[in-house]
Amino acid sequence: MAIGLINNTILKPYSSSPSSSDDIQSLDISSNNDVLVPLTIFDKAAFDLHVAVLYAFKAPMPSNEVMKAALSKVLVYYPHLAGRFTTDGQGRTCIVLNNAGIRVTETYVPTSLAELLPFDPSKDVRHLLPPVEGNIEELLQIQLNRYACGGLVIGQTAHHRVCDGQSMSSFFVAWARTVRGLATDPLPYHDRLAVSQPRNPPKVDFDHRSIEFKKTTMNPDMAPVFSPSIETLIIHYSPEFVKKLKAKISEQSSAQNQRYSTFECLLSHTWKKVTEARGLDLEESTQVRVAVNGRARIKPSVPMEYFGNLVLWAYPKLKVKELLEHNHAYIAKAIHDEVTRVDNNYFKSFIDFGEIAKADGGEELEATAPEFGNSLCPDLEVDSWLRFQFHDLDFGGGGPCAFFPPNIPVEGLVIFLPTCSEDGGVDAVLSLLPEHVPLFKQISHSID
């Protein structure tokens, strides 16, 4: 589709300082430019890539000028996004808080938004997004795609080594509040040093060098598998389906009063059905890499407004025959038990590992996060966006009518997100090898 380019520029944070000294103290960062912020051990474990998301809003929406003015103001409170990656004198990767700015692109799309929706993962939507490949200096890019009907699609890419999804969710809500003339409240929490403070003495209880990071010498049998063809699909689970699934699992559970979250129930179902669709050998093992937010798990708890990466992973693992022969409750318990193990002690052990790795000369650590084009089969990588603040993302005309992560370049990656449709429910966005898609679609809603 031909779209018109209106503007492509670098937008910098609004030049004035935050409105009060209390704001500055709450930011807990220096007001001087060119402050170097070393990546934390959590940043180093994150995906080393730009994450893309599309948000669609029906008319009426504020003008581009209003959107950009508010964006410039809110960036004052999120200086990392307006910075750049650099290397300090010790060879460490850092974010330099230099107010270099973010890239903002404006386009005009000569059709109605209704012709785009609902988002179809089989359609190419790269024209709605800033670039995500190549030598991209900007840590945040925003593309404002204005449709003939007045609707707006915001294409966003942000580098994952700067912050996690929880952080970007908070940032977008703050931007929306600023558009509506409201204060950034609560303010983001920026004290990365306090969050990553090791114990004295450090105490490493787990093999983080092999769990969150790759060993320097890798078994050839464990080398990443690349697939030239990956198909992304969206499976919608209605509120009725979710309710039925949770009731079924509660009925199956052998433990009295054991309740599993919506995420655990849907993951148990998806893991079971993907495994069946893949046609794996019954004796083969399969595991799921489940993202776990550390903000509420670290003691004392870290504010949800913490801006940065604070995610580790649980690794529930089962034999294929267990997934196919046992009920959903058996699988949900395996997931729940492994997620529970990623507790305060595990996070503190990881922080201490980072301190020891730093003391060993700042060795290069390569994250185990999959790369573009990886095939994870027989495994899965799963993220939940169910608790992100999408429905608070109101720029003045209501919340988004659709949102979608359009670029899922890893086979076996699954993202659960709340649907924007009127009936509610959950959408599962996942990528599989094309030969596994037909059967998965056929069985995706079969509980019995």
Side-chain angles (χ1 to χ4, degrees):
M1 177 188 298
I3 65 172
L5 177 63
I6 299 174
N7 196 20
N8 186 349
T9 189
I10 295 295
L11 181 74
K12 296 189 176 185
Y14 186 59
S15 58
S16 68
S17 299
S19 57
S20 73
S21 59
D22 289 340
D23 286 343
I24 297 174
Q25 291 171 6
S26 298
L27 284 173
D28 199 25
I29 57 174
S30 171
S31 59
N32 297 322
N33 285 348
D34 297 342
V35 173
L36 294 181
V37 180
L39 296 187
T40 70
I41 191 65
F42 294 99
D43 298 331
K44 293 175 182 178
F47 280 97
D48 186 14
L49 49 78
H50 286 260
V51 177
V53 184
L54 289 171
Y55 305 84
F57 297 86
K58 294 180 180 178
M61 277 291 285
S63 70
N64 286 4
E65 293 307 311
V66 169
M67 298 286 287
K68 290 189 296 181
L71 182 56
S72 179
K73 290 179 182 177
V74 81
L75 280 172
V76 171
Y77 298 100
Y78 296 86
H80 302 76
L81 292 174
R84 296 290 186 268
F85 284 137
T86 189
T87 303
D88 68 6
Q90 302 176 48
R92 300 177 300 177
T93 300
C94 301
I95 304 169
V96 54
L97 307 186
N98 58 2
N99 288 335
I102 70 170
R103 183 164 298 281
V104 177
T105 304
E106 301 169 70
T107 73
Y108 175 77
V109 187
T111 61
S112 69
L113 183 58
E115 295 179 46
L116 172 70
L117 302 178
F119 284 122
D120 182 347
S122 67
K123 293 182 179 178
D124 188 358
V125 292
R126 284 178 294 180
H127 59 286
L128 300 176
L129 285 164
V132 294
E133 298 179 20
N135 185 21
I136 302 169
E137 289 187 355
E138 297 80 22
L139 303 181
L140 172 65
Q141 301 179 102
I142 297 290
Q143 185 163 320
L144 303 174
N145 304 286
R146 186 73 59 168
Y147 280 72
C149 62
L152 182 69
V153 171
I154 301 176
Q156 166 243 305
T157 75
H159 202 289
H160 209 323
R161 289 276 169 97
V162 177
C163 64
D164 55 22
Q166 176 73 46
S167 299
M168 283 307 300
S169 172
S170 298
F171 167 75
F172 261 75
V173 170
W175 178 19
R177 287 178 58 87
T178 304
V179 168
R180 289 166 22 229
L182 302 175
T184 300
D185 183 27
L187 287 167
Y189 180 69
H190 286 295
D191 195 346
R192 297 186 175 208
L193 186 61
V195 170
S196 299
Q197 187 68 35
R199 294 172 290 192
N200 186 18
K203 184 173 181 288
V204 178
D205 297 315
F206 303 92
D207 186 13
H208 300 291
R209 198 181 304 277
S210 300
I211 299 173
E212 284 81 17
F213 298 99
K214 298 176 183 177
K215 293 181 178 179
T216 53
T217 57
M218 181 180 290
N219 184 335
D221 294 336
M222 301 295 292
V225 176
F226 290 88
S227 175
S229 180
I230 297 172
E231 186 170 334
T232 301
L233 59 155
I234 301 176
I235 300 295
H236 175 64
Y237 294 114
S238 68
E240 293 74 24
F241 177 89
V242 174
K243 183 178 179 181
K244 181 180 177 182
L245 176 64
K246 294 181 76 172
K248 186 78 171 178
I249 292 176
S250 179
E251 178 186 311
Q252 294 170 344
S253 178
S254 59
Q256 286 188 340
N257 301 320
Q258 175 64 63
R259 293 291 182 267
Y260 296 108
S261 68
T262 296
F263 169 72
E264 290 167 336
C265 292
L266 285 173
L267 177 52
S268 71
H269 180 74
T270 303
W271 191 10
K272 187 180 185 75
K273 297 305 175 182
V274 168
T275 300
E276 183 177 347
R278 283 168 163 175
L280 301 170
D281 185 274
L282 291 177
E283 294 301 321
E284 192 166 5
S285 293
T286 167
Q287 72 175 13
V288 184
R289 187 176 189 257
V290 182
V292 180
N293 189 340
R295 289 166 175 80
R297 293 179 180 260
I298 295 176
K299 305 300 179 189
S301 61
V302 176
M304 291 304 290
E305 295 76 35
Y306 172 69
F307 189 83
N309 285 291
L310 202 59
V311 169
L312 292 177
W313 297 270
Y315 292 87
K317 186 174 185 178
L318 293 171
K319 292 277 191 180
V320 169
K321 65 181 179 182
E322 291 181 276
L323 283 159
L324 300 184
E325 295 173 3
H326 286 278
N327 59 31
H328 285 73
Y330 179 90
I331 303 168
K333 183 179 185 303
I335 295 166
H336 178 84
D337 289 349
E338 286 302 313
V339 170
T340 301
R341 288 190 180 96
V342 187
D343 56 8
N344 175 62
N345 184 53
Y346 192 90
F347 274 89
K348 292 292 178 66
S349 172
F350 184 72
I351 292 169
D352 290 350
F353 164 76
E355 182 67 14
I356 290 174
K358 189 193 308 180
D360 288 343
E363 64 174 293
E364 283 296 321
L365 296 169
E366 186 178 355
T368 52
E371 300 176 359
F372 274 74
N374 279 178
S375 175
L376 301 180
C377 185
D379 301 330
L380 292 175
E381 165 105 12
V382 180
D383 286 331
S384 173
W385 295 5
L386 296 178
R387 295 186 179 180
F388 291 175
Q389 303 163 269
F390 291 116
H391 295 296
D392 294 331
L393 189 54
D394 181 2
F395 288 94
C401 59
F403 50 84
F404 173 56
N407 189 15
I408 303 185
V410 177
E411 186 277 338
L413 181 58
V414 183
I415 300 175
F416 291 109
L417 38 129
T419 184
C420 289
S421 61
E422 292 182 2
D423 71 335
V426 176
D427 287 338
V429 184
L430 67 159
S431 291
L432 296 172
L433 297 177
E435 58 265 32
H436 299 152
V437 170
L439 179 55
F440 177 77
K441 285 183 175 180
Q442 180 183 332
I443 63 178
S444 63
H445 287 78
S446 173
I447 296 178
D448 300 323

